[in-house]
């Protein structure tokens, strides 16, 4: 037996997976996107991604929420539906949903082990799958699992970009581009048009495209060019006040697109349309870390806390607008922020000038991130009152004390920041309730 493969026998599937290159944890500026390893993995696994119909979703803000909304509607219509998402908040099982339930860990580990063994075989053969990353292998495992479950539809969320993303082996019957912001500029490009081109790489010939990116803009015209070149159809959803309303409109447009190609609900046989997705369904489909609301105990009453993984300026603007439109944001604002090193904090902080009374910066655990001291320098240059918090718990405690006089708090900057903030919120609530 090959000594390298023998050495993996004593490791759990998760340990083997975590030994692979994981660009979610490392500096993405060094990333060299390629889909070749994923294509090789799929071929070696019998092309499981061809066993189900897909709805493929990318964009800068809202793609996870749109995926959850579409999943809920298809499930309620009677389809056997799955959802693939990233990143996760607490457990890797959050990334794989089957019939609106998270995959069981033992089931996921069994499939992961199968895919890791195939990757090892590719290493011996010297084929492209030998360089499959953490995300390649996990995505492949999800697709294997969806095929084994004999699902009708899978709603697939892009990890990064689109054209060279691991998920782009699927041919989406409907492809969604929620919106375009300047993100991952080291990888996707430095202009809205370049980033739009990369995200529009998920568009396949004959598919239906749904986007809230308006035509006549740099990004919208780049998307339209790709759609025209591949022979797809395009529907533009006018952005509505509040990101939640826009996400719901996009999800309804996806259902309308499915109806136009003749997709019928197994329960009752009706042609699908957006009317079957209600605002009540939207509330039931909310994901953790997406406009997540808390009420934290304070010295006098409670302090509203909004947790959101906004990581670019258009996402931060959407969060601030949503908070105001929903009546959640009253009084002075106090922020707790942490940013990945590949983000552009200056653009986000400029949105907080004149809106935030004080901003505290902290770090992201086990993640390449902006040092809080450097963020303070940027904040002071912009003209924001700011400081440093030791960690999420220290920062959240400070925000609630500062906001005690009828203010509110926002914790944001990255989805990787959601887990420590939620943990800190629970601890703070428990401590003050005693």
């Amino acid at each position: 037996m090959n000594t390298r493969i023998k050495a993996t026998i004593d490791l759990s599937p998760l340990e083997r997976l975590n030994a692979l290159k994981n660009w979610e944890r490392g500096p993405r500026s060094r990333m060299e996107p390629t889909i070749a390893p994923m294509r090789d993995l799929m071929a070696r696994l019998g092309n499981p991604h061809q066993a189900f119909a897909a709805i493929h979703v990318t964009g800068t803000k809202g793609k996870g929420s749109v995926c959850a909304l579409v999943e809920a509607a298809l499930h309620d219509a009677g389809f056997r539906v799955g959802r693939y998402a990233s990143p996760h908040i607490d457990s890797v099982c959050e990334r794989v949903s089957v019939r609106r339930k998270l995959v069981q860990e033992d089931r996921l580990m069994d499939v992961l082990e199968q895919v890791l063994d195939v990757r090892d075989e590719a290493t011996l053969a010297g084929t492209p799958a030998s360089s499959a990353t953490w995300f390649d292998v996990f995505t492949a495992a999800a697709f294997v699992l969806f095929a084994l479950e004999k699902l009708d539809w899978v709603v697939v969320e892009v990890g990064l970009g689109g054209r060279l993303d691991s998920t782009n082996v699927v041919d989406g019957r409907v492809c969604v581009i929620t919106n375009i912001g300047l993100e991952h500029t080291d990888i996707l490009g430095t202009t809205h048009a370049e980033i739009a081109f990369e995200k529009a790489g998920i568009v396949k010939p004959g598919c239906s495209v749904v986007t809230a990116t308006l035509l006549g803009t740099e990004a919208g015209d780049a998307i339209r060019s790709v759609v025209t070149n591949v022979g797809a159809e395009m529907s533009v959803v006018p952005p509505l006040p509040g990101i939640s309303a826009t996400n719901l409109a996009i999800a309804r447009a996806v259902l309308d697109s499915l109806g136009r190609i003749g997709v019928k609900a197994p329960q009752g046989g009706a042609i699908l349309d957006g009317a079957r997705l209600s605002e009540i369904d939207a509330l039931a489909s909310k994901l953790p870390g997406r406009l997540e609301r808390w009420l934290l105990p304070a010295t006098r009453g409670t302090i509203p806390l909004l947790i959101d993984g906004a990581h670019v300026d258009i996402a931060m603007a959407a969060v601030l607008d949503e908070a105001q439109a929903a009546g959640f944001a009253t009084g002075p604002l106090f922020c707790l922020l942490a940013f990945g090193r590949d983000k552009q904090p200056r653009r986000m902080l400029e949105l907080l000038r004149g809106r935030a009374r004080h901003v505290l910066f902290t770090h992201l655990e086990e993640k390449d991130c902006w040092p809080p001291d450097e963020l303070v320098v940027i904040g002071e240059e912009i003209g924001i009152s700011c400081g440093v918090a030791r960690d999420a718990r220290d920062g959240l405690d400070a925000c609630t004390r500062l906001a005690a006089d009828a203010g509110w708090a926002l914790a944001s900057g990255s989805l990787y920041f959601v887990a420590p903030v939620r943990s800190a919120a629970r601890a703070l609530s428990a401590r003050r309730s005693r």
Side-chain angles (χ1 to χ4, degrees), residues 55-85:
I55 296 166
H56 207 180
V57 184
T58 188
T60 298
K61 176 68 174 172
K63 58 182 181 291
S65 296
V66 168
C67 286
L69 288 166
V70 174
E71 173 197 30
L74 293 178
H75 176 81
D76 290 346
F79 290 103
R80 297 173 60 92
V81 62
R83 177 171 57 88
Y84 181 58

Side-chain angles (χ1 to χ4, degrees), residues 249-262 271-275:
I250 292 172
R252 286 171 170 166
V254 170
L255 297 173
D256 287 337
S257 294
L258 290 173
R260 283 195 294 273
I261 61 176
I271 293 288
L272 291 187
D273 63 61

Side-chain angles (χ1 to χ4, degrees), residues 227-255:
V227 170
T228 300
N229 288 340
V230 303
E233 296 183 353
M234 183 172 173
S235 299
V236 178
V237 177
L240 299 171
I243 187 67
S244 295
T246 300
N247 289 341
L248 180 58
I250 292 172
R252 286 171 170 166
V254 170
L255 297 173

Side-chain angles (χ1 to χ4, degrees), residues 337-400:
L337 305 176
F339 299 107
R341 176 56 93 169
D342 59 342
K343 301 303 181 287
Q344 299 182 12
R346 182 177 294 275
R347 299 174 64 93
M348 298 180 72
L349 294 177
E350 286 173 347
L351 293 169
L352 296 174
R353 180 171 49 198
R355 303 177 82 164
R357 178 77 59 84
H358 189 72
V359 176
L360 288 170
F361 300 108
T362 191
H363 63 280
L364 294 172
E365 299 174 5
E366 300 179 2
K367 175 78 174 158
D368 188 36
C369 66
W370 277 86
D373 289 341
E374 293 185 23
L375 292 171
V376 167
V377 172
I378 297 172
E380 290 177 343
E381 289 174 353
I382 292 172
I384 296 174
S385 171
C386 51
V388 172
R390 183 176 63 253
D391 53 27
R393 184 166 178 174
D394 178 56
L396 203 56
D397 186 50
C399 281
T400 55

